[in-house]
């Protein structure tokens, strides 16, 4: 226990307040008061002023400063404010580094997906390396359509940019579903009934619908995480099940509404 923590505990007991009641009066959690009293954390300048008011104790008493030493009190408050500002700047820098790393990881995932598609779908033998790497030709419909339409890069931007603002879960969900949507769309996309009309593949529709599901699902997951809900919790399991069921529903709905081929 630090001297400050001991003085806070003594003043609280003298005021006849429990940790819960004191925390309620100054607008913090009970755990915060416990840490202050145990010396595991120090209250901010604002919370020190609130403590003094709630405990009906002069700020000088909490800080261990003589009542007539106003200059020393001002110096202590100034030192606390500088420490808070420094700590805040360090937290912002750490958060920015973490967000940048998350965005780079998301970008690396999308680029790896692009390269994997070029390896599987591209024709390396019929073009130069540069032509193969940056081309839009494809042995399979959906991957080629995503490239020629520019939707692959647009989806990548939608997925990666939020990570720069701390939305790492959103980026992960949208990437995972977008990657899964390519083989799913390719597998369930062929539509022979509409082939004579130039619409012989619905993979684009399946992929777009699944990506929209991932956008909504990722936003919901970010909201749950903000409330402290973990993926391994019951609510997290419900979210995961809802996302999977929504993707399956997209496939089933399209298959059920697809026209049936009839003989000529």
């Amino acid at each position: 226990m630090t001297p400050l923590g001991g003085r806070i505990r003594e003043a609280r007991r003298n005021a006849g307040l429990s940790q819960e009641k004191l925390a309620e009066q100054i607008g913090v959690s009970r755990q915060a008061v416990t840490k202050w009293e145990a010396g595991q954390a120090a209250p901010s300048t604002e919370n020190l002023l609130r403590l003094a008011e709630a405990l009906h104790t002069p700020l000088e008493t909490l800080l261990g400063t003589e009542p007539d030493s106003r200059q020393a009190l001002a110096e202590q408050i100034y030192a606390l404010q500088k420490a808070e500002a420094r700590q805040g700047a360090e937290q912002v820098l750490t958060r920015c580094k973490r967000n940048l790393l998350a965005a780079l990881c998301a970008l690396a995932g999308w680029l790896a997906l692009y390269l994997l598609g070029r390896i599987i779908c591209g024709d390396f033998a019929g073009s130069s390396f540069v032509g193969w790497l940056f081309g839009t030709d494809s042995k399979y419909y959906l991957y080629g359509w995503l490239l020629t339409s520019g939707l692959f890069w647009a989806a990548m931007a939608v997925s990666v940019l939020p990570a720069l603002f701390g939305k790492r879960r959103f980026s992960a969900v949208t990437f995972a579903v977008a990657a899964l949507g390519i083989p799913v769309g390719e597998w369930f996309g062929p539509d022979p009934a509409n082939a004579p009309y130039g619409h012989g593949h619905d993979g684009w529709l399946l992929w777009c619908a699944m990506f929209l599901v991932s956008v909504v699902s990722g936003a919901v997951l970010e909201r749950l995480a903000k409330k402290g809900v973990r993926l391994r919790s019951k609510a997290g399991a419900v979210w995961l099940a809802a996302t999977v069921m929504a993707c399956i529903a997209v496939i089933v709905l399209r298959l059920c509404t697809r026209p049936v081929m009839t003989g000529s």
Side-chain angles (χ1 to χ4, degrees):
M1 182 187 300
T2 61
L4 175 59
R7 287 190 290 270
I8 293 175
R9 174 177 292 182
E10 182 180 358
R12 176 180 61 79
R13 289 177 175 176
N14 291 338
L17 297 175
S18 64
Q19 289 184 340
E20 292 83 355
K21 192 65 177 178
L22 177 59
E24 181 182 343
Q25 289 189 15
I26 62 178
V28 298
S29 65
R30 183 192 61 79
Q31 289 80 3
V33 175
T34 301
K35 289 182 178 180
W36 295 343
E37 293 185 357
Q40 297 175 355
S44 64
T45 304
E46 182 180 358
N47 285 331
L48 270 174
L49 295 173
R50 290 178 179 177
L51 278 169
E53 181 180 358
L55 298 173
H56 305 290
T57 303
L59 185 59
E60 297 92 336
T61 301
L62 289 180
L63 293 175
T65 306
E66 294 298 328
D68 57 347
S69 303
R70 297 187 178 274
Q71 182 177 358
L73 176 60
E75 290 175 352
Q76 287 193 32
I77 294 177
Y78 177 69
L80 283 171
Q81 290 175 337
K82 283 189 65 176
E84 290 170 20
R86 184 167 57 253
Q87 183 179 13
E90 291 175 353
Q91 290 176 347
V92 170
L93 182 59
T94 301
R95 185 165 58 250
C96 288
K97 288 181 178 179
R98 185 169 62 245
N99 292 346
L100 180 59
L101 179 60
L104 290 175
C105 289
L107 179 61
W110 278 91
L111 293 179
L113 179 62
Y114 172 78
L115 289 176
L116 181 62
R118 296 308 299 156
I119 292 172
I120 296 175
C121 305
D123 183 12
F124 182 74
S127 62
S128 65
F129 175 76
V130 174
W132 168 83
L133 182 62
F134 297 104
T136 57
D137 60 299
S138 175
K139 299 176 184 178
Y140 300 100
Y141 168 81
L142 181 55
Y143 179 75
W145 178 83
L146 288 172
L147 293 183
T148 55
S149 66
L151 195 58
F152 183 92
W153 306 111
M156 182 181 73
V158 171
S159 176
V160 172
L161 290 178
L164 289 172
F165 303 95
K167 309 300 181 181
R168 300 183 298 277
R169 298 168 187 84
F170 178 89
S171 294
V173 172
T174 50
F175 168 74
V177 176
L180 179 64
I182 294 178
V184 168
E186 191 64 47
W187 181 266
F188 293 102
D191 184 5
N194 279 336
Y197 309 103
H199 303 289
H201 206 294
D202 296 331
W204 64 273
L205 182 60
L206 290 170
W207 187 90
C208 289
M210 288 182 64
F211 187 72
L212 288 176
V213 167
S214 74
V215 169
V216 175
S217 176
V220 171
L221 181 59
E222 287 290 346
R223 189 172 183 84
L224 290 175
K226 191 174 182 180
K227 293 181 179 180
V229 176
R230 295 189 176 184
L231 193 58
R232 294 183 179 180
S233 65
K234 183 178 180 180
V238 171
W239 165 85
L240 182 59
T243 300
V244 173
M245 292 302 297
C247 290
I248 294 176
V250 166
I251 300 171
V252 173
L253 181 63
R254 183 54 194 152
L255 292 177
C256 291
T257 56
R258 179 175 292 172
V260 179
M261 290 186 66
T262 58
S264 55

